[in-house]
Amino acid sequence: MHLDHDPAAPPADEIGFDDFLKVDIRVGTIVEAEVYEGARKPSLKLRIDFGPGVGLRKSVGQVRARYAPEDLIGRQVAAVVNFPPRQIGKAVSEALTLGFADEEGRVVLFSPDAPVPDGSRLF
């Protein structure tokens, strides 16, 4: 499946509500962030605390074009937590941190606009 980042693209194929419920999107707080040296695209390695139900997860995000590691510590983000771990170069990503492309194609992280408990599920 190819993801189209073009804002003028038509919507993806319809899915049932039960299919949506299979995707477990949670909020977590970034507790560590560092530059991922050697990545093909400007990326950061993140460690995110999703609370007691999910725990700490590693995520690799192509967010370095907009964010410095030190600016992300303490920030809440949304991520898919029920994909299998994925090898990204020499790193393993255990959660897919979510974002949108800006006008220049840089990733803007998806976050709640007010603090919520870590581990809260999107509905």
Side-chain angles (χ1 to χ4, degrees), residues 102-118:
D102 69 8
E103 298 261 338
E104 297 173 25
R106 301 172 304 175
V107 176
V108 177
L109 292 169
F110 182 55
S111 303
D113 63 0
V116 296
D118 286 336

Side-chain angles (χ1 to χ4, degrees), residues 62-77:
Q62 296 175 0
V63 299
R64 194 167 137 208
R66 284 190 57 97
Y67 303 99
E70 60 273 12
D71 296 334
L72 292 177
I73 305 300
R75 181 184 177 128
Q76 286 193 305
V77 293

